[in-house]
Amino acid sequence: QPVLTQPPSASGTPGQRVSISCSASSSDIGTHTVNWYQHLPGTAPKLLIYSNNQRPSGVPDRFSGSKSGTSASLAISGLQSEDEADYYCAIWDDSLNDPWVFGGGTKLTVL
Amino acid sequence: EVQLVQSGAEVKKPGESLKISCEASGYTFPSYWIAWVRQMPGKGLECMGIIYPGDSETRYSPSFQGQVTMSADKSSSTAYLQWSSLKTSDTAMYFCAREGGRFWGQGTLVTVSS
């Protein structure tokens, strides 16, 4: 079962580009795709990126995802105050004993 | 439109039982896994397990095996998460989500306190 590691915090000023990393403990991530979620307190998490780099309809193109080897990244360009939230990477595989593994989450602060 | 609507907030005492629900609409309920996700106060998201309503196959994440029971009723398109004996450490927000997390319920806050 992969363990996904994210930095606990990140920050940026309005208009900046920020990147959040997600590192896997094993090469298992190479056979899985990574999703990213945005979570605002008191609300349901929102899918931002699926299959490493695909955006669901309605998600601004300021959000982008990538994956290389055992790491994935979420990039947010043109940072806005409403982007202040918690961000989680995750792998879904319903064949695993631990079918939905989340990273620890990154708290993004817009300064 | 796909919707997952969860039951309301609960306040319980340690040792009590509880069953919360997640009613799905707008898609073929039996055909997609439903996951239950816990968020303890100040902590991150944890998947407790998943259930396939088509045949009620369940996969419990190792940390939650034996602690909770997931079930699903195809006739009402509803998934359930239940506890037989709550602990104060079960205090958390609980979300249901359709496989992959494209669609989520609004969350059910469970508070366990004596």
Side-chain angles (χ1 to χ4, degrees):
Chain A
Q1 307 293 148
V3 173
L4 302 178
T5 301
Q6 299 179 236
S9 63
S11 63
T13 56
Q16 263 191 330
R17 182 181 188 274
V18 298
S19 184
I20 298 171
S21 63
C22 174
S23 176
S25 60
S26 72
S27 59
D28 286 356
I29 194 175
T31 62
H32 295 89
T33 61
V34 176
N35 293 351
W36 288 90
Y37 305 89
Q38 179 190 60
H39 191 203
L40 295 159
T43 68
K46 174 185 176 182
L47 178 66
L48 275 184
I49 298 289
Y50 67 96
S51 297
N52 302 327
N53 55 18
Q54 301 299 301
R55 278 188 311 276
S57 61
V59 174
D61 59 7
R62 303 187 295 107
F63 295 91
S64 62
S66 63
K67 193 186 91 168
S68 178
T70 58
S71 291
S73 288
L74 172 71
I76 309 171
S77 60
L79 197 62
Q80 299 179 5
S81 57
E82 57 260 39
D83 298 332
E84 186 162 295
D86 297 319
Y87 292 85
Y88 296 86
C89 61
I91 290 171
W92 171 280
D93 186 338
D94 53 60
S95 70
L96 298 177
N97 285 339
D98 208 351
W100 200 5
V101 176
F102 288 92
T106 298
K107 169 66 179 176
L108 175 64
T109 301
V110 181
L111 302 169
Chain B
E1 178 194 8
V2 174
Q3 282 194 305
L4 298 172
V5 178
Q6 297 185 229
S7 48
E10 301 274 2
V11 179
K12 292 288 191 178
K13 295 188 187 317
E16 291 186 331
S17 63
L18 176 64
K19 191 173 189 177
I20 63 175
S21 66
C22 169
E23 183 177 0
S25 61
Y27 73 97
T28 305
F29 179 66
S31 301
Y32 294 84
W33 293 90
I34 288 283
W36 286 97
V37 175
R38 181 178 78 174
Q39 185 178 37
M40 298 177 74
K43 303 296 185 182
L45 303 175
E46 306 172 88
C47 178
M48 305 171 73
I50 59 175
I51 182 166
Y52 190 75
D55 58 7
S56 289
E57 180 180 355
T58 55
R59 308 251 170 88
Y60 292 95
S61 299
S63 299
F64 296 93
Q65 181 77 46
Q67 307 304 308
V68 294
T69 302
M70 296 181 296
S71 60
D73 178 2
K74 288 187 287 187
S75 67
S76 61
S77 297
T78 303
Y80 299 95
L81 178 67
Q82 67 181 81
W83 295 259
S84 59
S85 181
L86 286 160
K87 309 179 188 68
T88 56
S89 57
D90 292 317
T91 294
M93 180 71 85
Y94 295 87
F95 295 98
C96 63
R98 205 179 80 169
E99 64 181 62
R102 189 180 291 263
F103 302 101
W104 293 73
Q106 81 278 18
T108 296
L109 179 63
V110 174
T111 304
V112 184
S113 173
S114 53

